Amino acid sequence: MSIEKILEKVDAIEQSNIAEMDKVKAEVALTVEGVKQDLTEKFAALEAKVASVQAPSVIIAPAKTVSQNVNRSVKEQLRDFYKSSSRLEKEIKMFEDEGHYKAFINESSALTGSGAGVGGRTAYGPVFHALRLANPMRGVSRTVATDGATYQFRAKTGNAGATWGYPIQNNGGATTIDTNIWQLTLQDVNCQFPIRTAALDDIDGLESNVVADMLAEFSQVEGQSMIQNDDQTNSPNTYGGTSGLRGLNQYAGEAATYAGGQTTESAFGTTGTGSSSGLCDLATYDQLTTNGDGVTGGQTTNKVTFSDVVNFVYALPQQYWTPSTKIIVNPVMLAAIRGLVDDNGTPVFERMSPLEYDGIVGRMLGFDVVVNKYIDNPTTSAGAVNTNLYPMYFGDWSRGHTIVDRLNMIMRRYDQTLPGSITFFGEKRLCTSIVDPFALVRYRSTKTAN
C-alpha cells in the first residue's frame, strides 16, 4: 500500500475521532445543564419551605427572686426604648401592682448587707501559732548526747612544773597537776494534754501547729532555765529550781562589793559527785557606773559606756580569742551599746566600721553577737530590788559551756488514754554546765546599793 493511501486512512480516522469527541462534549454539556436546572429548582423549593416555618420564641428562664424579676423587666424596657425610633422620653414600669412592690421591699431589705449570717460561704485562714524565741544557746554552746542518766565532767588542773635549768625537775613543788570532776543528773521537762478528736477533725492543721508550738515551748523553757535558774534552791522555782538546769546567773565569782571597771578572777568549783560540785567562780566585770536599784533611785537608767565594752572584751584571756568566741547580750543592752555616740553625735560603732556588717545585730569589736532576751535586762524598774543583773556574757562557748542531751526526745500520741480525745505527750532530758570557767567572762551592770 502506498504512503498516500495510508495518510488518507489516518486522516479519516482522525476526522472520525474529532466528530465523536464533539458529540460527547455536546451530550455532557446538555446533561450538566439539566442537572443545574434541577438543583436550582430544588433549592428554591427548600428555601420556600424554610421560609414558611415559624421560628419558636426564645425560652427565658423564669426569675428566681422578685429582685431578679424587677431587674429583668427594667432591662427589657430600656432595650426596647433604645431600639425604638423615638428616644425622647419613656416611663419605666418597675412593678406590676402594689403586691409586687411589697414583695420586692420585703425581699431586698433582708439582703442589703453581705452574705454573712444569711447563707454566705465562710472561708478559713490556715491555723497558726505565735512565734516563740527558741533557745539562743543552741548552736553557740557545745552540745553532746548521752544514753546515761548522769554526765560527769572532768578537767585537768594545775601545772606540769616546767622549770629552767639542767637539773631534772622531778615532781617538785612547781608540779601541781590534778583533776577536777563534777557530775550532773539529766533533768526532765515534760508535758501531757488531751485534744478532742472532733476538734482535730474540724480544724484543719490544728495538730501540726500544736506539735510545732510544743517543740518551740520546750526550747523556750530550756533557754530560760539555762540562764535564770538556780538548781540549788526552790525559792523561787520559776525556772525549775532543783529540778531545772544549772543557770549561768547562779554561778558565783562577782565581787562582794561593787567595783566599777574591775574584773574578778575565774576558778574551778569543788570536785566530787555531789549536787553542788562543779559550781565554779566566773570572772565578772563591773560596769564603770552601776545602774543602781529601783528602790534607792526609782526607775534606773543604763549608764554603759564605750569604755565598758572595751574593758569587758579585754577581760577575756587572749588564748580564748578564737573563731567560736561570741558576745551573748540582752537586746535592751545591745540597743544601749548601739546607741553610744561620740561628742559629735555620731554612733561610735557606725564610725568605726560602717561597712563591716548589715542589720541591727552585726558584730562588736570584731566578735560575733548573739541576741538572747532570756539574759537579764541591764536596768530594773522602780521599786524593784535586784542584787545583780548580768545583761551580757562573752567567751569561747565551745569550750566554756556544754549542753548534754539525752539521745532521744520522746514525742507520743495516744488515742486510747482518754476516749474521744487524742493525748499528746512530750518529754526531754538534759543538763548544762560551765565547763571551762576561764573561757567566759560576765558583765554586771547593776547591783543593789552597798
Side-chain angles (χ1 to χ4, degrees):
M1 183 179 291
S2 63
I3 295 177
E4 289 80 2
K5 290 184 178 182
I6 292 174
L7 292 175
E8 288 177 1
K9 286 186 177 183
V10 171
D11 291 338
I13 293 171
E14 183 179 2
Q15 292 296 325
S16 176
N17 289 338
I18 292 173
E20 290 294 330
M21 291 175 63
D22 290 340
K23 182 179 178 181
V24 170
K25 288 180 180 180
E27 291 176 356
V28 169
L30 183 61
T31 303
V32 169
E33 186 64 29
V35 171
K36 287 174 63 178
Q37 183 66 28
D38 186 50
L39 288 175
T40 301
E41 292 175 357
K42 288 182 178 180
F43 277 120
L46 181 61
E47 288 177 355
K49 184 177 290 187
V50 171
S52 65
V53 175
Q54 297 293 329
S57 58
V58 178
I59 300 176
I60 302 177
K64 296 182 179 180
T65 64
V66 177
S67 299
Q68 186 177 354
N69 180 272
V70 171
N71 290 337
R72 178 180 294 175
S73 175
V74 171
K75 289 180 179 179
E76 290 176 350
Q77 294 178 67
L78 291 174
R79 179 198 61 198
D80 295 340
F81 173 69
Y82 178 78
K83 290 181 178 181
S84 64
S85 58
S86 61
R87 301 181 185 175
L88 297 178
E89 183 178 352
K90 179 176 177 61
E91 181 178 338
I92 301 297
K93 180 181 179 181
M94 295 184 62
F95 308 106
E96 298 295 333
D97 51 32
E98 184 178 353
H100 192 201
Y101 170 74
K102 289 183 178 180
F104 174 79
I105 294 298
N106 291 334
E107 182 185 69
S108 63
S109 64
L111 299 175
T112 55
S114 70
V118 292
R121 292 187 299 273
T122 299
Y124 298 93
V127 177
F128 72 97
H129 59 86
L131 294 180
R132 302 174 187 267
L133 177 63
N135 184 9
M137 302 301 293
R138 294 283 182 178
V140 177
S141 301
R142 172 174 168 262
T143 302
V144 298
T146 180
D147 59 355
T150 60
Y151 194 86
Q152 187 174 109
F153 299 90
R154 300 168 296 177
K156 173 265 175 188
T157 62
N159 300 316
T163 303
W164 288 100
Y166 285 101
I168 301 300
Q169 169 63 29
N170 184 14
N171 199 25
T175 301
T176 58
I177 291 179
D178 201 349
T179 60
N180 186 288
I181 67 165
W182 63 99
Q183 184 170 294
L184 295 179
T185 300
L186 271 66
Q187 302 293 1
D188 188 281
V189 56
N190 65 78
C191 68
Q192 175 182 309
F193 54 90
I195 298 181
R196 285 284 285 120
T197 54
L200 292 172
D201 289 340
D202 292 344
I203 306 174
D204 297 332
L206 176 60
E207 181 172 347
S208 60
N209 276 269
V210 167
V211 174
D213 189 48
M214 179 174 68
L215 291 173
E217 186 176 348
F218 270 94
S219 184
Q220 178 186 43
V221 168
E222 73 169 32
Q224 293 169 334
S225 190
M226 281 186 194
I227 304 297
Q228 299 291 343
N229 189 54
D230 185 343
D231 69 349
Q232 301 298 303
T233 178
N234 282 322
S235 300
N237 186 15
T238 308
Y239 302 105
T242 56
S243 296
L245 302 178
R246 185 164 285 187
L248 289 176
N249 285 0
Q250 82 173 85
Y251 286 90
E254 72 280 354
T257 301
Y258 193 91
Q262 301 299 313
T263 304
T264 59
E265 294 184 359
S266 298
F268 281 106
T270 57
T271 185
T273 58
S275 60
S276 62
S277 297
L279 281 170
C280 61
D281 288 344
L282 188 59
T284 304
Y285 170 80
D286 285 347
Q287 186 174 279
L288 288 171
T289 304
T290 177
N291 293 337
D293 67 281
V295 176
T296 304
Q299 177 69 44
T300 60
T301 58
N302 197 343
K303 301 180 179 65
V304 62
T305 65
F306 181 67
S307 296
D308 284 316
V309 180
V310 173
N311 293 341
F312 175 59
V313 168
Y314 277 91
L316 183 70
Q318 182 182 351
Q319 60 268 31
Y320 293 103
W321 297 355
T322 67
S324 59
T325 301
K326 293 178 174 61
I327 298 173
I328 299 183
V329 60
N330 177 279
V332 177
M333 184 65 173
L334 178 60
I337 295 173
R338 293 293 184 209
L340 295 174
V341 297
D342 59 18
D343 294 338
N344 296 322
T346 303
V348 174
F349 285 94
E350 180 179 329
R351 183 194 64 215
M352 292 175 57
S353 49
L355 300 178
E356 184 180 355
Y357 47 75
D358 297 323
I360 62 173
V361 178
R363 312 178 78 203
M364 284 197 299
L365 299 182
F367 292 99
D368 291 335
V369 175
V370 176
V371 182
N372 187 345
K373 75 172 185 179
Y374 302 135
I375 293 178
D376 293 335
N377 284 326
T379 59
T380 186
S381 58
V385 177
N386 293 88
T387 303
N388 295 304
L389 292 179
Y390 306 112
M392 190 159 50
Y393 286 81
F394 176 56
D396 182 351
W397 294 93
S398 64
R399 294 187 60 89
H401 190 252
T402 297
I403 302 171
V404 182
D405 287 315
R406 180 75 178 186
L407 284 176
N408 297 312
M409 177 181 177
I410 297 175
M411 294 287 295
R412 293 196 175 128
R413 183 180 186 272
Y414 301 100
D415 58 0
Q416 297 180 354
T417 302
L418 181 64
S421 298
I422 299 297
T423 300
F424 295 86
F425 175 73
E427 183 179 38
K428 188 175 188 179
R429 297 167 65 188
L430 72 158
C431 67
T432 59
S433 178
I434 288 180
V435 180
D436 185 350
F438 302 96
L440 303 175
V441 61
R442 182 170 55 187
Y443 186 102
R444 179 166 65 167
S445 65
T446 300
K447 177 178 171 58
T448 302
N450 295 312

